[in-house]
Amino acid sequence: MRKVHVVNHTHWDREWYFTTSDALVLSDDVFTEILDELEKNPEAKFCLDGQISILEEYLQLRPERTGQVKKLVSQKRLAIGPWYTQTDAFFVDAESMIRNLAIGIKESKKYGDPMRVGYLPDTFGFNAQMPTILRNCGIDNIIFWRGINLQKHVKRPYFIWKGLGEKAVVAANLVDGYGAAAFLNDSDEYLDKRLFPAVEKLKKLTDQQELLITSGGDQLRIVENLPQKLASINQKSQDQYVVSSYETFIDTLRGEKDLEEYQGEFREPCTARVHKSIGSVRYDIKRTNFRMEQKLLKRIEPLMAIARANGIEVSTNLLTHAWKKLLEGQAHDSMGGCVTDPVAADVLHRMKAVDEIADSIENLIAKRLSEKIGLKENEILVFNTLPKKFKGYKIVEFMHPSKNVRFEGIEDAVLLDAVYYEGKNNLLLESPEGPKYVNEDPYYRLKVLIPVELPAMGYRVIRFEEGDAPLPELKETEAREISNEHYRISYEDNDLVLETKFGKKMKGFIRFEDCGNDGDTYDFSPLPGDKPELLSLSLKNVKKASLVETMTLEGDFLLPRHLDDRLKENGEKDRLRITLEISLRKGEEIIDCRCTVDNRIYSHRLRVKINTDIHAKETIASLPFGYIRRPVLNGNVGDWKKDYVEMPIDIEPFDASVSVEEENYHLSAFGKGIKEYQHIGDSLYLTLFATTGQLGKPNLVTRPGRASGDTTKKGHVMIPTPQAELIGTLDFEFALCVKEGRFDELGTAKLWEAYSSEHISYQPQTLNKFIYRLDNKIQPRYQKGTLPREFSLLEVGPDSLFSSFSPSLYDDGAFLLRLKNPTGGEKKLENYDFRRFAHVLKTNCIEEISEDQDFRIPPYDALTLKLWL
């Protein structure tokens, strides 16, 4: 006889083919019934999908139910949290996953103890560092469904899952998904056809005496009289069925010995689809999410710390509010992009709100700091939000009546861009003496690249004055090449050629590849009979200055307009315009690439093709706090239909970088919002986008059978997604680096840190009050000259790698500094300066104080320190 733990739950998609507002209406109906049933039936239990945001929104509608919720949570009959929303596990930053748990646990505590289970029942696969993230957030287990291969990864559904480093969790796989026993009842037909077969399947997979069966599904209501139904089932079964919870079942696994161990990711589509090519769908969502993550992590949070240390208070609740809006769009459907157009619009609108909140916080902080410093119009406040000294290039933007500018203490500078504003007459000036009319002279908004040294986690004031001559600009030349100390990039015989300082030469270095996409918002799928077309760009111009050289290439291509035009001899065509700007800065190892695509083509995929000249057997992709090596298949997927529900292609996700290596050198690519790659032959492909006009389609070449997205269920219809065609202008940023020797984890992580660092500057000025939206409304408050002209809040050693520096969720005046170690060797924080803080303690990511207080960073892990001002 086995003991079967039956967990009643609802899986609550916040949005999908319905909107968040739709789900809110449903919650009013379904959640109210859940609470009523739990009140009526004291032996019943229920799990509210592991995400607190849905309860938070429900209680805004039904505040009178708050006491009831608190009582049921205290009785362990209603399980809430620990996530804020059900996170995607591949396309969001590690810090987003951590914030999801940290905010989720904090918000859950308003109602009681959250469920300490890493419950992600429907996420499209899992990165290899989920155990590390969970353990750093005080959770020692995970319950999940998709991505596992029970023939290859482990043989049993209950096992130990190890991260890349020292941390591991107890893992339970939902073999038949989260709806194994949906619509549970005690009829003989249901038992014989559904429940008992599901349990027998589990028995064959494990000899453990206690098993887990889930009773629930998408937006499903509570099972009425569940304890009574299980009592009836026990009369008909040789096994014992009990009302249980995920926490109770995990307790049984903690006591098990000899559990199998697995280390790695879960991304194989064996019994459930993981949508391996979803990383290229709705690029606009992925790009915007990346930008917002970077803005919050590398601008707003450090600026809030610098401000607070200087007596300027900005509410942490504002920051949490922004994070919540971003997290609402990071569930698997929303972040994957497999949603309807109205939902996609909602996701982007929430991100727009995040953008506005972040810009306004930055504006307020910069203005207040400049006020306390006593900054003048010919001075620029330049920030460094990394916890180590900066020496390199920053881009500063400021207003000035002319291009004649000279920086104090800076001998070299390059004007990157200048916007001219014409003068105006009879402008109203509101002065303390009263309104009067004045004339305004013309002026410029200047964007300038300067070499600069900045203090760690702080700022420095840079002064400029009217110069004798205009700033040096990038000048167009007759040259057909650009170079610096590390590379020479030339345009020869209609081809782009890269030469490195160590003698490596690569022809056809960057090209583009276009092909039709017969897939949907879940997956790219090739169009049978269509062949990819290789697109080479032509040289437009080469510009050079002392600090930077740029090469601009462009192409104007006539391609089949619609998918069915690709198979017609005289099909309709339209234009695809690509512009690529390649920049080399003096002394830098990064090849900076900015690409603009004017897309007028429907249902196609566009990729950057990078000649690595390496016939790689594996790729090395970044993921949270580490790197993973994946095999290169070169199209060899075998007879996959016997073992997989979708083609197990090697189109893969990457967090920040992807690399390939040979004995003598390695090539790394970095993407800002580009999330998908594939290596074929000797070329690395970065997917810019795959566009489509359908939510879900059946019988794809790469995914046979039913359509994903419920579009071919009984009573459902095909749902068009014209906005997912991404018609219009799209911008992309990526960078490349070719270095001598084998792949270097620390070196590559440092390159990403440098490439992704932010350029933050501020100038107090009266010429244009709308460059910063709030400038015109922030009234003076502080006495001028009370702050120094240079400031550093804290400092760590040059080999330390920054993850985040954020205000505490629990303590005003406290901050969390997180440093990461994406290498296989242990790091110890030894060289640091925390003298501005009264107290420093090692904690986990949810601010629980650690037993040990050594500042050690284990391999492929992170160190979190809580610092009190």
Side-chain angles (χ1 to χ4, degrees):
M1 182 178 76
R2 305 281 187 101
K3 185 176 182 179
V4 181
H5 293 254
V6 178
V7 177
N8 193 193
H9 73 96
T10 188
H11 175 54
W12 204 261
D13 293 294
R14 291 179 49 86
E15 53 197 5
W16 181 12
Y17 58 84
F18 47 83
T19 66
T20 295
S21 298
D22 294 331
L24 185 60
V25 174
L26 278 175
S27 73
D28 186 52
D29 178 49
V30 175
F31 293 4
T32 301
E33 183 189 28
I34 290 167
L35 297 177
D36 289 345
E37 172 66 17
L38 291 174
E39 251 339 303
K40 184 178 70 174
N41 202 327
E43 295 179 27
K45 296 180 180 180
F46 198 83
C47 175
L48 209 53
D49 201 38
Q51 53 176 325
I52 194 60
S53 63
I54 55 177
L55 178 62
E56 184 178 73
E57 290 162 348
Y58 169 78
L59 289 176
Q60 290 174 1
L61 296 176
R62 300 267 194 164
E64 72 278 5
R65 294 277 184 164
T66 303
Q68 185 182 16
V69 167
K70 289 180 177 180
K71 182 185 72 173
L72 292 169
V73 171
S74 69
Q75 294 172 346
K76 291 288 185 181
R77 295 203 296 121
L78 180 65
I80 61 171
W83 300 95
Y84 187 71
T85 58
Q86 290 268 334
T87 186
D88 181 271
F90 286 112
F91 304 119
V92 303
D93 195 272
E95 287 291 337
S96 287
M97 299 181 211
I98 290 168
R99 304 313 163 87
N100 203 322
L101 278 169
I103 293 173
I105 289 171
K106 181 178 185 292
E107 295 303 313
S108 297
K109 286 181 177 179
K110 294 177 180 178
Y111 312 105
D113 291 332
M115 177 175 70
R116 289 294 181 108
V117 177
Y119 180 58
L120 292 166
D122 201 26
T123 298
F124 299 150
F126 297 88
N127 74 72
Q129 285 283 68
M130 288 304 297
T132 304
I133 290 170
L134 289 168
R135 288 302 297 261
N136 278 323
C137 292
I139 295 174
D140 69 351
N141 64 86
I142 187 170
I143 295 177
F144 71 103
W145 176 25
R146 300 178 192 264
I148 195 169
N149 185 335
L150 287 171
Q151 302 299 316
K152 176 180 174 182
H153 298 141
V154 288
K155 302 299 182 184
R156 297 179 177 86
Y158 312 134
F159 58 97
I160 301 296
W161 184 13
K162 297 182 68 177
L164 299 182
E166 300 174 357
K167 291 186 170 68
V169 294
V170 175
N173 178 244
L174 304 174
V175 175
D176 285 324
Y178 53 84
F183 309 103
L184 188 143
N185 62 78
D186 57 355
S187 70
D188 291 342
E189 182 179 20
Y190 181 88
L191 298 180
D192 292 339
K193 291 185 176 181
R194 186 157 193 173
L195 182 60
F196 290 167
V199 172
E200 289 304 314
K201 183 176 181 179
L202 280 176
K203 290 179 180 179
K204 292 177 181 177
L205 290 171
T206 177
D207 55 5
Q208 288 176 221
Q209 294 303 298
E210 303 199 35
L211 309 173
L212 174 63
I213 283 288
T214 53
S215 178
D218 297 348
Q219 268 72 26
L220 280 192
R221 55 195 288 261
I222 192 169
V223 176
E224 292 182 289
N225 299 314
L226 178 61
Q228 292 77 18
K229 288 175 180 174
L230 293 187
S232 172
I233 291 171
N234 284 332
Q235 298 297 316
K236 305 175 184 180
S237 171
Q238 60 180 351
D239 299 312
Q240 180 191 11
Y241 290 80
V242 297
V243 174
S244 192
S245 68
Y246 290 126
E247 285 186 303
T248 299
F249 181 73
I250 288 295
D251 282 341
T252 70
L253 293 185
R254 289 193 186 99
E256 290 286 342
K257 297 180 180 179
D258 302 322
L259 290 175
E260 292 178 88
E261 289 189 357
Y262 171 72
Q263 184 178 57
E265 63 186 353
F266 288 119
R267 194 169 149 73
E268 295 210 4
C270 292
T271 57
R273 296 170 175 179
V274 296
H275 308 297
K276 294 204 71 177
S277 52
I278 203 171
S280 54
V281 174
R282 292 198 191 268
Y283 163 78
D284 52 345
I285 287 178
K286 294 176 176 65
R287 164 71 166 169
T288 307
N289 176 74
F290 171 82
R291 286 183 55 247
M292 294 307 99
E293 288 176 327
Q294 296 298 299
K295 185 168 280 193
L296 292 176
L297 293 168
K298 295 180 179 176
R299 297 178 79 101
I300 304 310
E301 291 182 341
L303 286 176
M304 288 179 69
I306 292 169
R308 189 174 291 176
N310 286 289
I312 298 166
E313 188 73 25
V314 179
S315 172
T316 303
N317 291 335
L318 264 177
L319 179 64
T320 301
H321 179 68
W323 268 113
K324 284 182 176 181
K325 283 190 172 293
L326 189 59
L327 296 174
E328 285 173 19
Q330 290 190 348
H332 56 289
D333 290 320
S334 305
M335 188 49 50
C338 49
V339 292
T340 61
D341 284 354
V343 171
D346 285 350
V347 173
L348 289 169
H349 182 74
R350 292 194 296 265
M351 291 179 182
K352 175 178 175 289
V354 175
D355 199 20
E356 291 169 352
I357 293 168
D359 283 349
S360 296
I361 293 175
E362 180 176 321
N363 190 175
L364 178 64
I365 289 172
K367 177 102 173 178
R368 290 293 185 216
L369 283 171
S370 70
E371 179 186 347
K372 295 187 80 170
I373 293 168
L375 215 63
K376 299 176 181 178
E377 283 202 45
N378 68 328
E379 295 177 324
I380 305 170
L381 189 59
V382 184
F383 293 93
N384 171 26
T385 56
L386 290 176
K388 48 192 172 183
K389 291 177 181 176
F390 176 87
K391 183 178 182 180
Y393 299 107
K394 288 293 182 185
I395 296 171
V396 295
E397 296 190 50
F398 58 98
M399 306 293 165
H400 194 62
S402 75
K403 295 182 183 179
N404 294 14
V405 174
R406 185 176 67 83
F407 292 94
E408 188 178 86
I410 297 175
E411 295 183 359
D412 209 353
V414 175
L415 179 61
L416 301 178
D417 188 38
V419 178
Y420 179 72
Y421 293 87
E422 293 184 350
K424 297 177 183 178
N425 295 327
N426 298 317
L427 296 175
L428 178 64
L429 174 66
E430 294 182 356
S431 69
E433 296 78 24
K436 57 184 178 180
Y437 288 89
V438 297
N439 296 332
E440 180 182 78
D441 294 330
Y443 59 93
Y444 289 90
R445 182 180 184 181
L446 304 176
K447 184 178 180 180
V448 183
L449 180 71
I450 58 172
V452 67
E453 294 185 29
L454 299 172
M457 194 60 72
Y459 63 77
R460 175 188 162 194
V461 175
I462 294 176
R463 189 172 181 273
F464 67 91
E465 58 188 27
E466 182 74 15
D468 299 328
L471 282 165
E473 299 184 46
L474 280 161
K475 296 290 186 181
E476 190 167 342
T477 72
E478 295 298 319
R480 300 173 69 84
E481 54 83 25
I482 58 175
S483 63
N484 67 3
E485 294 86 343
H486 299 280
Y487 308 103
R488 178 178 180 269
I489 300 175
S490 57
Y491 190 78
E492 305 172 9
D493 300 324
N494 299 317
D495 205 358
L496 201 61
V497 180
L498 172 75
E499 297 176 73
T500 71
K501 69 176 181 180
F502 56 88
K504 182 63 185 176
K505 187 173 183 178
M506 301 176 188
K507 296 182 178 179
F509 183 50
I510 300 176
R511 294 173 178 164
F512 293 81
E513 180 208 73
D514 188 81
C515 67
N517 177 21
D518 195 26
D520 52 24
T521 60
Y522 288 85
D523 290 291
F524 162 80
S525 190
L527 176 67
D530 178 50
K531 292 183 179 179
E533 185 172 348
L534 204 58
L535 311 175
S536 296
L537 306 185
S538 300
L539 180 65
K540 181 181 180 182
N541 61 54
V542 169
K543 296 180 180 180
K544 297 192 177 189
S546 57
L547 300 178
V548 61
E549 299 185 359
T550 68
M551 175 184 287
T552 302
L553 304 105
E554 60 183 8
D556 195 345
F557 307 99
L558 205 58
L559 299 174
R561 189 163 190 249
H562 295 284
L563 195 62
D564 54 5
D565 290 320
R566 292 181 178 266
L567 303 181
K568 296 177 182 176
E569 188 172 341
N570 297 307
E572 185 181 0
K573 294 182 181 293
D574 210 331
R575 295 190 179 279
L576 180 78
R577 295 184 178 90
I578 304 174
T579 302
L580 176 65
E581 182 184 271
I582 305 172
S583 300
L584 293 178
R585 290 180 183 169
K586 183 179 179 181
E588 290 193 349
E589 295 179 300
I590 284 284
I591 303 168
D592 196 329
C593 300
R594 294 170 183 261
C595 180
T596 300
V597 177
D598 183 8
N599 179 42
R600 302 293 167 190
I601 309 301
Y602 292 79
S603 300
H604 70 126
R605 181 180 70 180
L606 184 66
R607 305 200 287 186
V608 182
K609 180 180 182 292
I610 301 153
N611 176 21
T612 66
D613 211 17
I614 297 173
H615 289 269
K617 293 183 179 180
E618 63 181 10
T619 57
I620 309 162
S622 64
L623 74 169
F625 313 139
Y627 298 90
I628 187 169
R629 293 178 180 260
R630 298 184 176 117
V632 172
L633 300 180
N634 285 314
N636 183 22
V637 294
D639 187 9
W640 59 273
K641 292 184 180 180
K642 293 188 300 183
D643 300 312
Y644 296 95
V645 296
E646 67 176 90
M647 187 183 291
I649 47 180
D650 57 352
I651 294 177
E652 306 286 6
F654 69 103
D655 173 67
S657 69
V658 55
S659 307
V660 288
E661 66 174 354
E662 66 158 34
E663 186 175 345
N664 298 318
Y665 72 96
H666 64 277
L667 180 147
S668 297
F670 306 87
K672 293 184 176 180
I674 298 171
K675 293 293 184 180
E676 183 180 280
Y677 76 90
Q678 186 178 23
H679 199 278
I680 304 174
D682 62 355
S683 295
L684 177 66
Y685 293 80
L686 301 181
T687 310
L688 299 185
F689 58 75
T691 69
T692 179
Q694 288 290 331
L695 176 69
K697 294 168 68 174
N699 301 316
L700 302 183
V701 170
T702 56
R703 198 194 67 214
R706 68 171 182 86
S708 291
D710 274 2
T711 53
T712 46
K713 282 189 175 181
K714 185 180 185 300
H716 289 227
V717 296
M718 301 291 286
I719 301 176
T721 55
Q723 295 305 311
E725 293 284 13
L726 299 182
I727 300 300
T729 302
L730 303 165
D731 296 314
F732 306 87
E733 293 181 76
F734 61 96
L736 305 169
C737 179
V738 184
K739 294 189 69 172
E740 200 168 8
R742 290 283 190 178
F743 173 75
D744 174 21
E745 293 173 323
L746 180 61
T748 304
K750 284 185 174 182
L751 283 172
W752 168 252
E753 184 174 82
Y755 173 57
S756 62
S757 67
E758 296 283 331
H759 302 272
I760 312 172
S761 63
Y762 178 82
Q763 175 206 20
Q765 45 81 29
T766 58
L767 295 174
N768 191 327
K769 287 291 188 177
F770 290 88
I771 295 299
Y772 307 103
R773 288 193 306 272
L774 291 189
D775 253 20
N776 204 35
K777 296 298 179 185
I778 302 173
Q779 303 302 309
R781 177 186 296 177
Y782 297 105
Q783 181 181 350
K784 294 181 179 180
T786 58
L787 289 183
R789 297 170 65 80
E790 186 168 317
F791 173 81
S792 175
L793 179 55
L794 58 82
E795 184 176 352
V796 298
D799 280 345
S800 297
L801 289 166
F802 175 71
S803 187
S804 67
F805 185 51
S806 60
S808 164
L809 287 174
Y810 296 94
D811 297 313
D812 289 339
F815 301 90
L816 298 183
L817 172 65
R818 189 148 40 249
L819 303 172
K820 58 187 176 183
N821 174 19
T823 76
E826 179 180 296
K827 304 287 184 184
K828 189 171 179 63
L829 182 62
E830 294 177 325
N831 300 316
Y832 55 86
D833 180 358
F834 296 152
R835 72 183 74 179
R836 291 187 180 273
F837 295 89
H839 201 40
V840 180
L841 285 175
K842 178 180 174 182
T843 71
N844 64 8
C845 294
I846 58 172
E847 305 185 38
E848 296 170 338
I849 297 173
S850 301
E851 290 184 6
D852 71 90
Q853 287 298 313
D854 64 328
F855 292 173
R856 183 180 74 95
I857 316 180
Y860 305 119
D861 210 329
L863 168 69
T864 302
L865 299 177
K866 189 169 183 177
L867 305 94
W868 283 264
L869 282 170

